[in-house]
Amino acid sequence: MKFLVDNWMLILVAFASGAMLVWPAVNRGGRSGVSANGAVMLMNREKAQVVDVCEVDEFAQGHIVGARNIPLGQLEQRLPEVVKNKTVPLILVCASGARAGRAVASAKALGYDKAVVLAGGMTAWKEANLPVEKA
């Protein structure tokens, strides 16, 4: 007990540094998302489908090669006709990842259990120097 009393500051510093090391893993656990490189692996290995939930004009300015465009407001009606196979991974994309985050909940409610967000959206995709096509 004397050791704890005499070294309380040292113990506090050790606990704080351990908490800072663990925090990124704990903080990320609440979000389902895949990095740009992880998305490429899903596309290549598991034939993941990419759905861009941006508006039509944003989609025309630049999107992932092979992505299908379904604006967020039309997702629940059009997703089942655009992506028929609910067992393949579904990568939802928007400019920053915010709209795609909302789209994941809708996709999962429709039965797309492997739906994920592209973390960072098109911004992260472009920063990773991955190919973009314009309509």
Side-chain angles (χ1 to χ4, degrees):
M1 188 65 157
K2 183 175 181 344
F3 176 80
L4 294 176
V5 172
D6 290 343
N7 297 303
W8 70 271
M9 183 69 92
L10 194 62
I11 293 168
L12 180 66
V13 169
F15 179 77
S17 64
M20 288 189 292
L21 287 171
V22 172
W23 180 251
V26 171
N27 190 29
R28 181 146 170 77
R31 293 181 284 163
S32 62
V34 64
S35 68
N37 291 328
V40 171
M41 288 188 342
L42 278 175
M43 292 163 65
N44 290 337
R45 293 182 181 167
E46 298 184 42
K47 305 297 181 207
Q49 297 287 313
V50 180
V51 174
D52 193 316
V53 295
C54 290
E55 294 300 320
V56 177
D57 57 329
E58 291 175 281
F59 183 78
Q61 291 175 2
H63 55 273
I64 295 173
V65 177
R68 304 289 303 266
N69 181 229
I70 305 174
L72 183 59
Q74 302 171 13
L75 188 71
E76 289 184 14
Q77 296 82 23
R78 294 190 48 214
L79 187 59
E81 66 189 43
V82 173
V83 181
K84 298 188 186 312
N85 188 353
K86 293 182 179 182
T87 62
V88 298
L90 178 65
I91 302 169
L92 296 159
V93 183
C94 67
S96 66
R99 283 177 283 182
R102 291 192 307 260
V104 166
S106 297
K108 289 192 176 193
L110 291 170
Y112 296 90
D113 293 329
K114 294 183 179 179
V116 293
V117 175
L118 175 62
M122 284 302 296
T123 303
W125 186 266
K126 290 174 185 174
E127 285 174 358
N129 292 321
L130 293 167
V132 174
E133 69 179 356
K134 295 183 180 184

